Amino acid sequence: MTSGGDRLTQRLELLDYLRFLAATSVVAFHYLYNGMENGKLTSLEPSALAGPARFGLFGVELFFMISGFVILGSARGRSARQFVVGRALRLLPAFWVAMALTAVVMALWGEASGLRVTAGQVLGNLTMTPTLFGVEPVDGVYWTLLLELQFYALVLLFLVLGQGHRLGAFLPYWALAIWLVNYLVPALADRVWLGDHFAFFVAGALIAEIRYAGVSPLRLGGLVATAAVTVPYAAWIASWLMPGPSGTVACMLLVVAFYAVLLSLCLPSVAAVRLPASAWAGGLTYPLYLLHAHIGYILLSRFGEESHPWTSYGVVLAVVLTLTVAVHVLVERRGRPFWYSLFDRSLGRLADVLDRTPRKAPSHGVGGRDVPTVPAGADRM
């Protein structure tokens, strides 16, 4: 049995594959089903894969669970400054570049798909929270990012108050609060941190806490409380996505499977599994998610041919994957020192102003500053 510290720093290669599976399932949902349903993909008809592709919508919920699972590794033992800079490094550079690329493609060819963009819209999206300012997202998939940031904001609150060590203990009570609100006061379920989507975040975080600190009745109770929200949520999704008893059961079992797979990472034999190219799988996930939707819709609508649908899909996927690799390599990897310096001098200093914890002597990192050394795989969405 490995110690808690060893479990925290151990790289989970299966998690990278799960992350990539979540991203590709969302791509399948959009390209094979949702694009036709919402009128944004106009050149192709639904194929025989449209039915199974509908399940790809749940890739978003798997993302949320994985994000909850890794966030404790990103926050445990970190200062507010390290956490903020680490999160900014992971989220903002790829988002800004992917959003700009999407806006360019929309400006050039988006008219046919009804996808338009304005300069003001692009500026509002630079915040990553455009809807808070009454601005439409450049790409519809960005709605999940606000939930991510809200989740991180609560974690940051614990850190700036010097209570980061209590975050794991707080999770079961948060899970219980979400369950009570959704069942007893559903009018409040849309409030920040209490909606059904946050049950997925908390479920992943609780599983990570079980992996780190062990099983306890309170943690298991919290996990059951999240399932009491997430599984009925899956049934509700099925009611409009795939009506009927079989669709309802399938969606509910899919969410249960998410719990089972993440819980399996608590087993040393599963956590130790080594998989080829796992770092690439994990690294490409976020830019692929950001780039695929509107760019894919527009390219397929403009250049896709119903007479050769799979050729059309193959070419567009190749273009999207090429952009994905370029953003990951050029922006996230090679640009990391530049982005680190930018965020450390801005957001990092702001976090220091808010931080109530005792100051520690900085270690030497990029530019002589304290680089947020997040465990391998922990700083990815």
Side-chain angles (χ1 to χ4, degrees):
M1 178 70 71
T2 56
S3 68
D6 291 338
R7 287 192 293 271
L8 181 62
T9 57
Q10 182 183 14
R11 181 181 179 82
L12 301 176
E13 297 188 0
L14 179 59
L15 198 65
D16 286 324
Y17 269 53
L18 287 175
R19 186 181 288 110
F20 192 73
L21 174 63
T24 53
S25 68
V26 173
V27 173
F29 171 74
H30 285 143
Y31 287 4
L32 298 173
Y33 174 75
N34 196 55
M36 293 84 164
E37 290 292 312
N38 62 23
K40 294 177 180 177
L41 206 171
T42 57
S43 67
L44 302 176
E45 295 296 324
S47 70
L49 295 179
R54 288 180 293 179
F55 289 98
L57 175 61
F58 286 92
V60 172
E61 318 309 331
L62 180 56
F63 268 136
F64 290 157
M65 290 188 73
I66 292 172
S67 187
F69 185 93
V70 303
I71 200 63
L72 293 189
S74 298
R76 197 184 302 274
R78 313 290 168 196
S79 67
R81 182 178 192 144
Q82 288 175 315
F83 179 77
V84 167
V85 174
R87 291 293 86 199
L89 275 172
R90 180 56 190 152
L91 295 181
L92 287 173
F95 172 78
W96 285 337
V97 174
M99 188 267 293
L101 290 171
T102 300
V104 169
V105 174
M106 289 172 68
L108 292 175
W109 299 310
E111 197 73 26
S113 301
L115 298 174
R116 303 173 181 85
V117 67
T118 66
Q121 190 179 2
V122 171
L123 290 175
N125 275 255
L126 290 174
T127 66
M128 200 181 255
T129 58
T131 54
L132 297 182
F133 305 97
V135 178
E136 288 294 316
V138 168
D139 193 309
V141 301
Y142 298 168
W143 71 270
T144 63
L145 301 177
L146 178 58
L147 296 179
E148 289 276 344
L149 292 175
Q150 289 170 341
F151 179 58
Y152 297 156
L154 184 59
V155 175
L156 178 61
L157 179 62
F158 272 79
L159 295 178
V160 299
L161 294 177
Q163 300 298 312
H165 60 289
R166 300 184 187 277
L167 182 59
F170 169 73
L171 293 172
Y173 301 102
W174 187 5
L176 182 62
I178 292 174
W179 174 70
L180 289 173
V181 165
N182 277 267
Y183 278 89
L184 300 181
V185 199
L188 298 178
D190 289 335
R191 299 295 188 271
V192 175
W193 302 324
L194 294 175
D196 41 28
H197 289 300
F198 285 99
F200 287 94
F201 285 108
V202 178
L206 273 167
I207 294 173
E209 184 67 9
I210 289 171
R211 180 173 180 269
Y212 177 79
V215 178
S216 75
L218 189 58
R219 294 182 191 112
L220 286 179
L223 202 58
V224 170
T226 66
V229 175
T230 59
V231 174
Y233 169 82
W236 174 76
I237 291 292
S239 67
W240 60 267
L241 188 65
M242 47 195 79
S246 60
T248 299
V249 171
C251 290
M252 295 170 70
L253 288 177
L254 187 59
V255 169
V256 171
F258 293 164
Y259 280 80
V261 172
L262 286 183
L263 279 168
S264 73
L265 292 173
C266 298
L267 302 174
S269 58
V270 176
V273 168
R274 294 293 171 260
L275 298 167
S278 61
W280 275 101
L284 295 178
T285 295
Y286 182 52
L288 175 61
Y289 179 79
L290 294 173
L291 287 162
H292 80 275
H294 281 192
I295 290 178
Y297 288 155
I298 291 168
L299 295 181
L300 285 169
S301 295
R302 184 172 178 84
F303 303 109
E305 296 182 4
E306 183 57 37
S307 57
H308 301 91
W310 299 113
T311 300
S312 302
Y313 279 122
V315 171
V316 170
L317 277 173
V319 171
V320 170
L321 286 172
T322 299
L323 291 174
T324 295
V325 172
V327 170
H328 177 57
V329 172
L330 300 178
V331 178
E332 295 188 303
R333 288 189 173 185
R334 296 186 183 178
R336 185 179 177 86
F338 166 78
W339 295 116
Y340 172 79
S341 178
L342 174 65
F343 296 139
D344 185 60
R345 294 172 185 274
S346 53
L347 296 176
R349 289 177 178 175
L350 177 60
D352 271 348
V353 172
L354 299 174
D355 198 350
R356 304 287 183 85
T357 57
R359 294 291 184 268
K360 296 180 180 180
S363 60
H364 295 290
V366 177
R369 292 179 178 80
D370 187 16
V371 180
T373 53
V374 180
D379 64 338
R380 301 193 189 95
M381 173 179 150

